[in-house]
Amino acid sequence: MNQKPDITPNLIALGYTPPQLNWTRPDPRGPEYGTYGIRVLGNGDIVVSYYPRSSTHVEFSFYFATLDSFERWTKHTF
């Protein structure tokens, strides 16, 4: 069985709240604009969804197949 590495320390280092708070991070313009939420899939892929404050629906999502690409996007965006 191939175990996936625990990426929790990476996510916390990138500024996301711990999983007890659903892995979220406010919009870089301010929390009044919305929130980014992430899900780590069973195969280790990462999905980032944006939730605007004015809606309960996801406005858009990004899919990252590697932690490296997700880290680059996060550092560029935030």
Side-chain angles (χ1 to χ4, degrees):
M1 182 194 247
N2 213 358
Q3 285 218 323
K4 301 290 182 206
D6 180 17
I7 65 169
T8 299
N10 301 73
L11 298 177
I12 292 171
L14 290 169
Y16 289 89
T17 60
Q20 299 87 348
L21 301 173
N22 299 319
W23 288 123
T24 60
R25 184 167 181 172
D27 187 307
R29 298 172 293 175
E32 64 275 12
Y33 287 94
T35 303
Y36 287 89
I38 64 171
R39 290 182 293 133
V40 180
L41 305 179
N43 62 359
D45 295 348
I46 300 169
V47 178
V48 177
S49 299
Y50 183 72
Y51 301 87
R53 286 294 252 188
S54 59
S55 174
T56 58
H57 303 287
V58 172
E59 186 169 309
F60 57 83
S61 294
F62 297 112
Y63 173 88
F64 299 94
T66 66
L67 179 60
D68 182 56
S69 62
F70 170 72
E71 286 177 337
R72 283 195 315 262
W73 174 83
T74 297
K75 290 175 182 174
H76 173 74
T77 302
F78 296 99

